[in-house]
Amino acid sequence: MRTSIATVCLSGTLTQKMQACADAGFDGIEVFEPDLVAAPQSPEEIRALADRLGLTLDLFQPFRDAEGVDAATFAANLRRAEAKFSLMQRLGMDTMLVCSNVGTATVDDDATSAAQLRELGDLAAAYDVRLAFEALAWGRFVDDYRRAWRIVELADHPQVGVCLDSFHILSRGHDPKEIEQIPGEKVFFLQLADAPLLSMDVLSWSRHHRLFPGEGGFDLAAFLAHVLRTGYDGPLSLEVFNDTFRQTDPDRTARQALRSLRWLEDQAAGRLGSEAGSGLARLPEVAEPSGLDFVEVRAEDTGDVEVVLEQLGFTFRGRHRSKAVGLWTQGGARVVLNEQQARDLSPAIAAVGVEVADPATSAARAERLLAPTVHRRTYAGEERLAAFSSPDGTEVFLGRVPDGPDATWTEEFRLGGTASGPELVTHVDHVNLVQPWQHYDEAVLFYSSVLGLAPQAPLDVAGPVGLVRSKVMRSTDGSVRLALNLLPAGLVTGLPQHVAFACDDIVALAERARSRGLRFLPVPDNYYDDLDARFDLDPEFLSTLRSLGLLYDRDAGGEFLHFYTATVGQVFFEVVERRGAYDGYGAPNAPVRLAAQMPG
């Protein structure tokens, strides 16, 4: 189906927004009137620019407070509307959004509203303009799409239909199933927006917290399926009011927006199944990743990281035959240390590799979802791994599920050793990636749409610099877990990233690491006093935790033991042991870790 986006979604001037939308690949735009009013270009120049860019001008919006008013007010509304219809002719536009009245309505009567929309329709017909009537969630009298449709039915005018907006319908908890009772030819326009599930007044929620599809809590796939069952064949258009999007790069936001629409089309097509005669575009179908292939740390000098890995029991498997890259392994955990193109860089997580059943198909899906391709130099005989860049710059590599214990690319590393003792680490449990505030929601959509990971409920953790919001993206079986941490507002740097390794005997591993000189993150005695009060632990067990600097958590499913290393550059390591069916991440212990990592 055709794609469209309201210019209010983006930062910049109207012409900058139009260029960004065209470059991203949108078919058309909604022109937000304040953007046009502020533009130095004439309507004819905007129309000509849209033609050059290959954009259709799909909707002029908004026309406010039109119906439910007294005769004198309505006469003024007709004069105002005629000026806008004339403007739309100059723009070459044929559909205008008419919002339900929120400011001047004094007549709570469907017949009156219908009569006034009918008269507006007569005037619009002279300019070949259609009116899409929308029930705003905070409309004074009309705040339900079902009432808006009743009024349109009463108006009974060919130029008058409805606009369906997912936010206005879902934020009020209205059942979208009755959308299917509206004839498709009377659905003049469709606007889509997601949002976090918040408890606040709908106007503030709408104006500041809307999100692109896939980034919030609404079931937009089901909503879109209801709309398409009416026979609607107009554009899928985004109308997202969001403070972050209006102050960040419009090119990037436009690509993020189109990614969300392509994901939503695919999700809705899946809901419709055999009903899908709607022209929805499908994405290449892929299975979710089955494991973490490797984690890469990049730095100009990786020596300090090598020391920590050796102390944790990792084995150096050798240097790459053509690159300044080393490989360290233990059990199924692989860490790549990369010193290429890393001048003046301190250690930080640069990439993760995921195991997928069909890398080529997964790469095709990523490309369709506008994931930026990553190119790395390879020579003849070396495995080429498809890769793309995530919103925070972390590179994601696609490796085939290995037949044996090792991926084929590990054979490119030479002159390494073999494990000299028991390998207590079994695999990578999870990777924690810190996200800049302006890319957090984009990252959630990225990992869910491109990799097929499911977002878990967000969690806020109190730290010395403010609340840290964390959301885990994970595969169904938990074999891939990426924890996305949002930097507190105003904090540009300061939260390191980390890799968590799983083991079956954390006490033995901690004792071995301590004997090798590992610097554990310090844990205050107060923590263990509180632990004893909360869980009434066996004194000997508590003494073991205290002596080794281990942290502990417990829930109805089981127990969780873990420890952290000191930070090297912008990265540190965690070792975890899950007992029973514990499936969390030790969130109650996060404030202790964050406090211990504060400088000074």
Side-chain angles (χ1 to χ4, degrees):
M1 297 187 72
R2 294 182 58 254
T3 58
S4 188
I5 182 172
T7 57
V8 73
C9 300
L10 307 174
S11 66
T13 65
L14 178 55
T15 56
Q16 289 171 334
K17 296 178 183 195
M18 293 172 68
Q19 185 70 58
C21 294
D23 289 346
F26 277 95
D27 299 311
I29 59 171
E30 301 178 33
V31 177
F32 187 55
E33 185 180 39
D35 286 335
L36 179 66
V37 170
Q41 295 82 13
S42 69
E44 290 79 9
E45 289 172 319
I46 294 300
R47 178 178 184 175
L49 176 60
D51 287 341
R52 291 197 301 274
L53 293 174
L55 291 172
T56 55
L57 302 179
D58 297 327
L59 184 74
F60 184 81
Q61 64 118 327
F63 190 79
R64 301 188 187 279
D65 298 337
E67 44 69 47
V69 296
D70 58 55
T73 303
F74 186 66
N77 288 346
L78 286 174
R79 183 191 64 80
R80 179 165 58 96
E82 186 163 22
K84 299 307 175 185
F85 297 155
S86 177
L87 172 63
M88 290 174 66
Q89 274 197 333
R90 296 172 66 190
L91 287 163
M93 303 184 71
D94 65 1
T95 306
M96 182 167 77
L97 176 68
V98 178
C99 302
S100 63
N101 200 322
V102 300
T104 62
T106 56
V107 183
D108 184 10
D109 178 68
D110 288 357
T112 298
S113 291
Q116 292 176 343
L117 284 180
R118 187 182 310 114
E119 192 169 347
L120 271 175
D122 288 339
L123 182 59
Y127 293 86
D128 198 24
V129 167
R130 304 188 311 164
L131 306 178
F133 184 51
E134 173 186 68
L136 295 179
W138 52 91
R140 184 167 185 185
F141 300 129
V142 181
D143 60 5
D144 187 324
Y145 79 93
R146 292 164 291 199
R147 186 172 185 186
W149 167 234
R150 287 198 300 272
I151 291 170
V152 167
E153 280 191 296
L154 284 172
D156 191 23
H157 196 288
Q159 302 302 115
V160 180
V162 294
C163 173
L164 299 174
D165 183 304
S166 63
F167 181 85
H168 293 300
I169 294 170
L170 300 179
S171 67
R172 293 297 301 267
H174 297 317
D175 188 347
K177 290 181 181 179
E178 293 181 49
I179 287 173
E180 297 182 27
Q181 299 176 16
I182 305 174
E185 65 271 14
K186 297 302 285 185
V187 180
F188 281 4
F189 209 75
L190 171 65
Q191 293 177 318
L192 297 162
D194 208 337
L197 302 181
L198 303 175
S199 178
M200 62 188 307
D201 71 277
V202 288
L203 179 57
S204 297
W205 190 9
S206 171
R207 291 288 171 81
H208 302 286
H209 300 288
R210 293 197 197 192
L211 297 170
F212 292 125
E215 297 177 353
F218 291 159
D219 187 353
L220 288 187
F223 176 86
L224 180 55
H226 289 309
V227 175
L228 295 180
R229 289 191 183 105
T230 70
Y232 173 78
D233 61 359
L236 307 181
S237 191
L238 297 168
E239 188 195 40
V240 175
F241 296 84
N242 184 289
D243 297 338
T244 297
F245 300 158
R246 284 181 283 193
Q247 54 186 307
T248 50
D249 175 29
D251 295 301
R252 180 170 183 158
T253 304
R255 291 192 298 271
Q256 175 186 353
L258 188 59
R259 178 184 301 134
S260 76
L261 272 186
R262 289 182 175 174
W263 171 86
L264 180 58
E265 280 193 70
D266 182 70
Q267 294 292 303
R271 296 292 183 94
L272 289 167
S274 59
E275 303 175 60
S278 52
L280 291 173
R282 296 305 305 263
L283 295 170
E285 188 172 352
V286 298
E288 62 184 18
S290 59
L292 283 167
D293 193 7
F294 66 87
V295 179
E296 177 184 290
V297 175
R298 179 180 292 171
E300 181 177 31
D301 182 356
T302 60
D304 289 342
V305 181
E306 293 176 0
V307 170
V308 175
L309 291 174
E310 190 279 331
Q311 290 168 336
L312 287 172
F314 279 73
T315 300
F316 177 60
R317 290 282 297 276
R319 302 285 283 181
H320 193 273
R321 65 191 185 195
S322 66
K323 304 179 180 72
V325 177
L327 173 64
W328 291 74
T329 71
Q330 185 174 184
R334 291 183 283 269
V335 180
V336 172
L337 301 184
N338 187 353
E339 295 180 346
Q340 293 192 124
Q341 300 176 341
R343 183 183 295 275
D344 297 327
L345 293 181
S346 61
I349 295 174
V352 294
V354 295
E355 297 172 347
V356 295
D358 185 348
T361 303
S362 292
R365 180 183 177 94
E367 181 179 9
R368 175 74 179 143
L369 288 165
L370 308 178
T373 302
V374 170
H375 299 282
R376 288 201 183 176
R377 184 188 65 193
T378 56
Y379 292 104
E382 295 177 357
E383 186 167 357
R384 295 178 181 269
L385 298 178
F388 44 84
S389 181
S390 68
D392 73 339
T394 302
E395 297 173 352
V396 179
F397 285 80
L398 302 172
R400 189 177 301 278
V401 178
D403 296 328
D406 284 329
T408 55
W409 58 264
T410 61
E411 298 173 1
E412 298 169 14
F413 292 81
R414 307 290 175 79
L415 304 177
T418 57
S420 58
E423 294 192 304
L424 300 178
V425 165
T426 56
H427 60 280
V428 174
D429 185 87
H430 63 277
V431 180
N432 186 302
L433 301 171
V434 176
Q435 305 297 305
W437 63 272
Q438 68 270 36
H439 302 317
Y440 184 70
D441 295 316
E442 181 185 2
V444 172
L445 170 63
F446 181 89
Y447 287 111
S448 60
S449 63
V450 176
L451 287 183
L453 301 177
Q456 307 302 290
L459 178 69
D460 289 334
V461 176
V465 294
L467 286 179
V468 176
R469 167 153 290 199
S470 182
K471 180 176 288 191
V472 175
M473 310 295 298
R474 59 168 285 171
S475 57
T476 304
D477 64 1
S479 59
V480 176
R481 305 171 189 244
L482 302 178
L484 308 181
N485 281 4
L486 175 64
L487 282 170
L491 186 67
V492 179
T493 61
L495 287 182
Q497 308 191 113
H498 79 269
V499 183
F501 302 116
C503 74
D504 294 328
D505 188 347
I506 197 170
V507 171
L509 196 153
E511 289 175 339
R512 184 178 68 181
R514 186 176 293 277
S515 71
R516 293 179 177 182
L518 179 70
R519 289 178 55 218
F520 287 65
L521 193 72
V523 181
D525 283 342
N526 292 335
Y527 168 79
Y528 295 103
D529 293 340
D530 177 69
L531 204 61
D532 188 32
R534 286 192 292 133
F535 293 116
D536 189 23
L537 299 174
D538 175 79
E540 184 176 348
F541 178 59
L542 181 64
S543 177
T544 298
L545 297 178
R546 189 191 300 264
S547 64
L548 291 174
L550 303 181
L551 297 102
Y552 178 86
D553 190 32
R554 184 170 69 203
D555 63 16
E559 298 174 293
F560 187 69
L561 286 76
H562 58 139
F563 70 82
Y564 301 102
T565 70
T567 302
V568 179
Q570 286 297 309
V571 68
F572 64 97
F573 299 103
E574 179 185 9
V575 177
V576 309
E577 180 185 346
R578 299 178 181 274
R579 297 179 176 177
Y582 185 97
D583 201 37
Y585 303 89
N589 300 327
V592 176
R593 189 258 295 176
L594 291 168
Q597 290 175 330
M598 283 293 293

